[in-house]
């Protein structure tokens, strides 16, 4: 099953199970079914609860927050995650505060979906990964879609938190198969965390790569070339929840060389938050500081050959691992 | 027969990119099944078959297609429409479909057994959506839960393992017979060792592999993990000691005048010249007179080397490296090469070709007060010269007067199967006179 189908099925299941669940977004109604077809079939099955909205991310996120505030479950789709910046005020100053500023905790069941990331030639304003701008906001949780986490379970976990969540969905994943990996590797799930490693993996790999879902295949491609060319063995950790990060969950799987890979541009990244958390726990055990791999601090070009120079690719990770092992 | 034509998907674009075929060419398709993904400037869109039958691609993957053009045809019989052999002639911009869309290779069939009912060929889907080019030579993807036993699958042989197979004469069938998913260099070495009667080192026992270790386990105390470079050193040392019966001869060289000359040459060639540079040049100069010292041993035969390629040891704290000086024609060239290697050694930043092909080694033990060092003889060579640190010593002249001079002990470790003590001392004496000349 492809990731987009899995996500579509998760939304069907959510609306099926929860009569208070609403879905809002631009162009999400059938027959179009959303720019990436993730909401396909939903408006036909659940008329009245799947709501096509005007082009105003601030408005649709605000309505979703209002629905959640009044006891409903709300899922909002930002057509391209870049435009979640227009909903920043609703998330930062309204939804996340609403959980705790009314004298007692007020659970909000709300998810804002953000198709994210480049690699498709969509250019500067439709290709960004804005995760880092939402890190560290009290009352707001960040998740990222992955081919190794069933979206139904992830949605259940997000809604169970009772606070607004932003769900980043790397666009390149939509057409990929769930749980599909190079036969060299095996995937095991440990709750929120997916661990991908060689079948005959050492308990102590040369390097541990922490990367969210959209980066996973690039990391795995690098892991293959590192193994074949240099006999370097790596383990990949894919957390579903980016923030707050459950660092305790990571600890049993990390060794003395750790690298965090993400598509966000350099500077003030999610990876630096992960590195900081790990340094606090593992400083005496690490061979060097946790390495960060991210895209260049540049506007993302449209032309494919220029875009690939800016965004993190397999070779970026490959070189970073070699560099980390050398240093 | 029914055509699947590309609809107009938006007002912005005049053509769309075919990013993915969801049904392979010639495969059955049901009405309503998605068959391909087209990408517009804003979004990806699936096109569906309106009829059931067999799908025949009329355009190639990763080409642009305009609204109204025929994307594919559905026939009731599994034969392609007459005159159609892939891309429609009208699509002049269509390029031949890349290998991705070709029928599953035998490898694919083994690792991702797409059953006839499976509408979506697993390998094609996975590959065509990789944002970067697929890893060369490794295009096969399968499910993580593949039920195939390890012995059923073609193993991935790492590049170091391939090199070892060539070195040690291990065949592809032998490594396949191991039944491993990944064949590493240590596996090949174990195979070769086993065959020659030497003790076989299983993967579990090999120094590169360690037992279970959890981050909080107590067993980390007191253990020291070999670095990657050190593991390579360990392999070379083990092979050397297992296979090369070495002997050692040391001769005292007076190096005071040599050091003096080096200072002058540094100014002359405008590059740092020291004992190492002079020794590398002198050793290379002995090649025509002492060809066996630059040879390699194969059974009862020695193969002389065509040219003196001098390996020089460097350990700048990042591990032991033995890069090779190939061009020994001029002192300036030698000094250039060695300077580049010194810089590379601080970073561990050598190129593969820097480290291959030595026919003799010069090993440096020039830290203060080192008077003796016995180097290992690197597998594939028969000699290693050791240079120790210069020392001041007193000399009693013939007239009874006491003077001082600077000396260094220059040692030669040699493979005793090929070289005897007399040859070794002749070599050292010749080296000394070469340096004095």
């Amino acid at each position: 099953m492809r990731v987009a189908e899995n996500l579509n099925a998760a939304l069907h299941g959510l609306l099926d199970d929860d009569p208070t669940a609403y879905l809002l977004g631009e162009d999400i109604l059938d027959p179009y079914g959303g720019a990436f077809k993730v909401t396909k079939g939903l408006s036909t099955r659940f008329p009245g609860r799947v709501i096509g909205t005007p082009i105003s991310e601030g408005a649709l996120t605000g309505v979703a927050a209002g629905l959640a505030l009044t006891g409903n479950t709300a899922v909002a789709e930002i057509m391209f995650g870049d435009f979640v910046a227009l909903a920043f005020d609703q998330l930062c100053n309204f939804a996340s505060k609403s959980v705790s500023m009314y004298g007692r905790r007020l659970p909000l069941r709300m998810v804002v979906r953000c198709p994210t990331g480049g690699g498709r030639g969509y250019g500067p304003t439709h290709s960004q990964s804005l995760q880092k701008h939402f890190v560290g906001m009290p009352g707001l949780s960040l998740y990222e879609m992955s081919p190794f986490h069933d979206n139904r379970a992830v949605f259940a976990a997000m809604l169970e938190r009772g606070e607004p969540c932003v769900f980043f969905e790397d666009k390149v994943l939509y057409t990929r198969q769930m749980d599909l990996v190079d036969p060299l590797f095996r995937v095991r799930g440990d709750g929120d965390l997916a661990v991908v490693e060689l079948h005959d993996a050492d308990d102590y790999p040369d390097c541990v790569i922490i990367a969210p879902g959209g980066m996973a295949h690039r990391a795995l491609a690098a892991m293959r070339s590192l193994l074949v060319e240099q006999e370097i063995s790596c383990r990949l950790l894919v957390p579903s929840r980016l923030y707050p990060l459950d660092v305790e969950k990571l600890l049993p799987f990390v060794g003395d060389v750790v690298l965090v890979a993400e598509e966000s541009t350099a500077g003030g990244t999610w990876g630096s938050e992960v590195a900081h958390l790990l340094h606090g726990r593992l400083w005496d055990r690490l061979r060097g500081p946790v390495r960060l791999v991210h895209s260049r601090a540049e506007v993302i070009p449209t032309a494919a050959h220029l875009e690939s120079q800016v965004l993190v690719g397999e070779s970026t990770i490959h070189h970073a691992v070699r560099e980390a092992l050398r240093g | 027969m029914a055509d699947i034509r590309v609809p107009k998907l938006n007002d912005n674009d005049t053509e769309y990119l075919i990013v993915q075929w969801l049904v392979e060419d010639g495969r059955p398709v049901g009405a309503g099944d998605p068959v391909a993904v087209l990408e517009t400037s804003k979004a990806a869109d699936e096109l569906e078959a309106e009829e059931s039958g067999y799908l025949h691609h009329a355009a190639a993957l990763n080409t642009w297609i305009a609204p109204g053009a025929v994307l594919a045809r559905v026939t009731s019989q599994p034969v392609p429409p007459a005159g159609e052999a892939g891309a429609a002639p009208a699509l002049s911009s269509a390029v031949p479909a890349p290998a991705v869309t070709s029928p599953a290779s035998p490898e694919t069939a083994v690792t991702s057994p797409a059953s006839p009912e499976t509408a979506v060929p697993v390998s094609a889907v996975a590959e065509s959506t990789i944002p970067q080019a697929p890893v060369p030579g490794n295009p096969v993807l399968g499910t993580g839960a593949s039920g195939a036993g390890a012995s059923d699958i073609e193993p991935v042989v790492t590049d170091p393992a391939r090199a070892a197979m060539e070195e040690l004469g291990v065949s592809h069938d032998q490594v396949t017979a191991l039944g491993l998913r990944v064949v590493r260099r240590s596996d090949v070495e174990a195979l070769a060792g086993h065959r020659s009667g030497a003790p076989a080192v299983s993967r579990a026992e090999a120094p590169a592999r360690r037992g279970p270790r959890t981050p909080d386990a107590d067993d980390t105390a007191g253990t020291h993990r070999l670095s990657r470079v050190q593991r390579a050193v360990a392999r070379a040392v083990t092979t050397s000691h297992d296979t090369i019966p070495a002997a050692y001869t040391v001769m005292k060289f007076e190096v005071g005048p040599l050091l003096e000359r080096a200072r002058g040459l540094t100014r002359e060639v405008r590059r740092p010249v020291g004992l190492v540079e002079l020794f590398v040049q002198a050793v290379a100069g002995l090649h025509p007179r002492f060809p066996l010292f630059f040879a390699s041993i194969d059974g009862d035969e020695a193969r002389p080397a065509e040219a003196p390629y001098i390996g020089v040891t460097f350990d700048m704290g990042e591990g032991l490296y033995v890069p090779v000086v190939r061009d020994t024609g001029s002192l300036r060239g030698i000094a250039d090469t060695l300077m580049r290697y010194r810089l590379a050694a601080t970073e561990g930043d050598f190129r593969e070709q820097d480290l291959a092909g030595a026919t003799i080694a010069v090993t440096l033990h020039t830290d203060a007060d080192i008077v003796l060092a016995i180097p290992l003889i690197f597998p594939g060579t028969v000699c290693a010269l050791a240079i120790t640190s210069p020392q001041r010593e007193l000399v009693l002249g013939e007239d009874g007067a006491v003077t001082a001079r600077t000396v260094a002990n220059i040692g030669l470790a040699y493979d005793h199967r090929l070289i005897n003590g007399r040859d070794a001392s002749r070599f050292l004496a010749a080296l000394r006179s070469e340096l004095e000349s």
Side-chain angles (χ1 to χ4, degrees):
Chain A
M1 178 185 265
R2 288 187 293 154
V3 174
E5 290 164 356
N6 180 275
L7 182 55
N8 179 259
L11 293 172
H12 273 279
L14 174 66
L15 288 167
D16 232 353
D17 291 352
D18 181 353
T20 73
Y22 289 84
L23 197 61
L24 299 89
E26 298 154 11
D27 292 338
I28 63 172
L29 303 185
D30 289 334
Y32 189 62
F36 299 98
K37 308 302 166 202
V38 169
T39 53
K40 201 173 171 183
L42 288 162
S43 65
T44 311
R45 267 189 77 198
F46 306 101
R49 290 204 282 139
V50 178
I51 302 166
T53 70
I55 305 179
S56 171
E57 284 74 12
L60 73 91
T61 308
V63 172
L67 282 165
L69 196 64
T70 50
N72 301 288
T73 300
V75 177
E77 175 180 298
I78 308 288
M79 187 187 281
F80 280 82
D82 310 58
F83 299 103
V84 72
L86 291 161
F88 191 77
D89 182 67
Q90 286 295 345
L91 286 165
C92 169
N93 286 325
F94 178 56
S96 63
K97 304 294 180 292
S98 296
V99 176
S100 56
M101 74 177 184
Y102 297 116
R104 61 180 173 82
R105 184 178 159 82
L106 183 64
L108 246 71
R109 294 159 54 79
M110 170 181 177
V111 175
V112 177
R113 293 182 40 233
C114 295
T116 292
R120 281 277 190 261
Y122 291 151
T125 59
H126 290 68
S127 306
Q128 298 168 90
S129 299
L130 299 182
Q131 287 90 327
K132 66 181 184 182
H133 298 290
F134 296 88
V135 170
M137 203 179 286
L140 187 71
S141 293
L142 311 182
Y143 285 73
E144 182 152 339
M145 185 169 72
S146 117
F148 310 123
H149 293 89
D150 178 56
N151 284 300
R152 191 71 214 277
V154 176
F155 264 81
M158 286 193 285
L159 295 172
E160 200 172 312
R161 284 187 74 76
E163 62 183 28
C165 296
V166 183
F167 188 52
F168 295 94
E169 305 167 5
D170 195 323
K171 295 187 276 281
V172 299
L173 286 178
Y174 287 136
T175 51
R176 282 188 166 272
Q177 295 288 318
M178 289 295 288
D179 293 317
L180 184 80
V181 288
D182 184 313
L184 273 182
F185 302 106
R186 69 188 156 115
V187 185
R188 55 191 163 116
D190 191 351
D192 174 64
L193 192 67
V195 181
V196 193
E197 56 194 356
L198 290 164
H199 281 277
D200 63 346
D202 230 332
D203 279 359
Y204 198 76
D206 295 309
C207 179
V208 173
I209 302 170
I210 301 170
M215 197 50 64
H217 289 98
R218 278 166 268 182
L220 287 168
M223 282 161 66
R224 174 185 256 276
S225 60
L226 285 162
L227 175 79
V228 170
E229 291 166 22
Q230 309 276 325
E231 297 196 355
I232 293 170
S233 69
C234 300
R235 174 187 288 152
L236 172 66
L237 305 180
V238 184
S240 166
R241 193 174 76 209
L242 303 183
Y243 188 87
L245 185 74
D246 191 350
V247 72
E248 297 298 323
K249 280 272 191 188
L250 299 179
L251 295 181
F253 299 103
V254 298
D256 53 6
V257 178
V258 184
L259 183 142
V260 185
E262 63 188 309
E263 200 175 295
S264 277
T265 49
T269 56
W270 170 73
S272 59
E273 164 76 5
V274 179
H276 170 69
L277 291 171
L278 289 175
H279 289 163
R281 297 298 310 270
L282 301 174
W283 188 248
D284 54 342
R285 264 203 7 237
L286 293 169
R287 236 166 73 185
V290 171
R291 301 270 179 151
L292 303 184
V293 177
H294 34 56
S295 301
R296 280 159 52 177
E298 288 177 18
V299 169
I300 300 168
T302 306
H305 67 289
L306 298 176
E307 186 188 31
S308 67
Q309 288 172 19
V310 169
L311 299 180
V312 172
E314 174 204 334
S315 65
T316 330
I317 301 172
H318 180 111
H319 288 128
V321 170
R322 292 196 58 181
E323 194 75 359
L325 289 173
R326 232 182 252 157
Chain B
M1 190 174 84
D3 289 345
I4 299 180
R5 286 183 185 275
V6 177
K8 186 169 164 43
L9 296 170
N10 66 19
D11 289 332
N12 309 329
D13 304 312
T14 52
E15 54 184 3
Y16 316 121
L17 184 64
I18 304 171
V19 293
Q20 192 177 358
W21 281 105
L22 302 174
V23 177
E24 267 187 287
D25 202 13
R27 299 300 297 263
V29 66
D33 285 354
V35 298
V37 178
L38 302 192
E39 194 161 88
T40 70
S41 61
K42 273 211 136 182
D45 235 319
E46 284 176 356
L47 295 195
E48 296 171 355
E50 289 174 9
E51 291 180 16
S52 299
Y54 295 86
L55 186 82
H56 303 281
H57 298 178
L61 189 69
N62 295 325
T63 57
W64 295 90
I65 191 162
V70 177
L71 177 76
R73 299 201 157 94
V74 177
T75 57
S76 54
Q77 299 299 318
V79 284
E84 296 287 346
L91 297 167
S92 55
S93 65
V95 295
V100 165
T101 54
S102 65
S105 67
E107 280 181 325
T108 315
V110 175
T111 52
S112 54
S115 66
E117 297 79 39
T118 312
V120 181
V122 171
S123 60
V125 169
E127 281 170 31
S128 58
T129 53
I130 297 174
Q132 288 79 32
V135 182
N138 304 311
V140 181
L141 297 178
T143 61
S146 165
S151 58
D152 301 337
I153 58 172
E154 186 74 3
V156 172
V157 182
T158 68
D159 293 349
R162 274 184 209 285
M165 285 166 67
E166 206 157 299
E167 270 167 41
L168 302 169
V170 172
S171 73
H172 185 74
D173 288 347
Q174 284 175 292
V175 298
T176 307
L178 288 173
L180 298 169
R181 283 172 194 274
V182 181
V183 176
R184 294 174 171 83
R185 188 179 171 96
S186 55
D187 300 316
V188 177
E189 286 171 351
L191 256 185
H194 190 65
R195 208 183 34 184
S196 66
V201 182
S202 78
R203 178 173 287 184
E205 295 156 352
R209 318 283 297 182
R210 282 145 305 106
R213 174 179 162 178
T214 54
D216 295 316
D218 294 328
D219 67 354
T220 57
T223 61
H224 168 71
R225 183 177 179 233
L226 297 187
S227 68
R228 181 158 296 281
V229 174
Q230 192 57 37
R231 279 185 262 165
V233 172
R235 283 198 293 267
V237 173
T238 307
T239 311
S240 174
H241 288 188
D242 282 351
T243 57
I244 304 176
Y248 196 58
T249 299
V250 182
M251 194 175 276
K252 189 182 279 186
F253 282 33
E254 185 177 358
V255 293
L258 218 48
L259 289 166
E260 189 58 41
R261 186 145 62 88
R263 275 190 283 278
L265 286 166
T266 297
R267 282 191 294 276
E268 199 178 300
V269 304
R270 297 198 302 280
R271 279 155 187 70
V273 174
L275 282 188
V276 187
E277 283 77 8
L278 295 175
F279 268 90
V280 166
Q281 189 182 38
V283 168
L286 294 181
H287 175 246
R289 286 155 61 199
F290 294 90
L292 288 186
F293 286 69
F294 298 81
S296 59
I297 288 193
D298 183 6
D300 290 338
E301 293 178 346
R303 293 210 184 103
E306 284 176 13
Y309 293 151
I310 320 279
V312 182
T313 58
F314 284 98
D315 182 358
M316 314 288 275
E318 292 298 313
L320 176 67
Y321 294 95
V322 192
V324 179
V325 181
R326 288 165 176 272
D327 182 4
T328 53
S330 75
L331 192 61
R332 171 182 288 206
I334 294 171
D336 263 346
T337 308
L338 289 174
M339 183 44 67
R340 184 164 71 77
Y341 287 162
R342 276 185 200 102
L343 294 174
T346 58
E347 301 279 323
D349 197 15
F350 285 100
R351 293 173 300 189
E352 208 58 42
Q353 74 229 42
D354 294 339
L355 302 170
T359 56
I360 194 169
V362 171
T363 74
L364 309 178
H365 310 272
T366 46
D367 284 351
D369 298 330
I370 306 279
V371 294
L372 178 72
I374 302 179
L376 74 115
I377 299 167
F378 292 92
T381 67
V382 295
C383 280
L385 191 80
I387 302 171
T388 58
S389 89
Q391 322 278 331
R392 295 283 284 168
E393 70 171 19
L394 296 180
V395 195
L396 200 57
E398 282 179 12
D399 57 356
V402 176
T403 54
R405 64 174 185 169
T406 303
V407 296
N409 293 321
I410 306 302
L412 187 73
Y414 51 93
D415 188 331
H416 216 324
R417 289 174 296 178
L418 185 62
I419 295 166
N420 295 320
R422 179 173 171 276
D423 308 318
S425 57
R426 278 183 54 233
F427 180 88
L428 287 169
L431 180 64
R432 184 160 62 186
S433 64
E434 180 90 13
L435 284 163
E436 284 166 0
S437 64

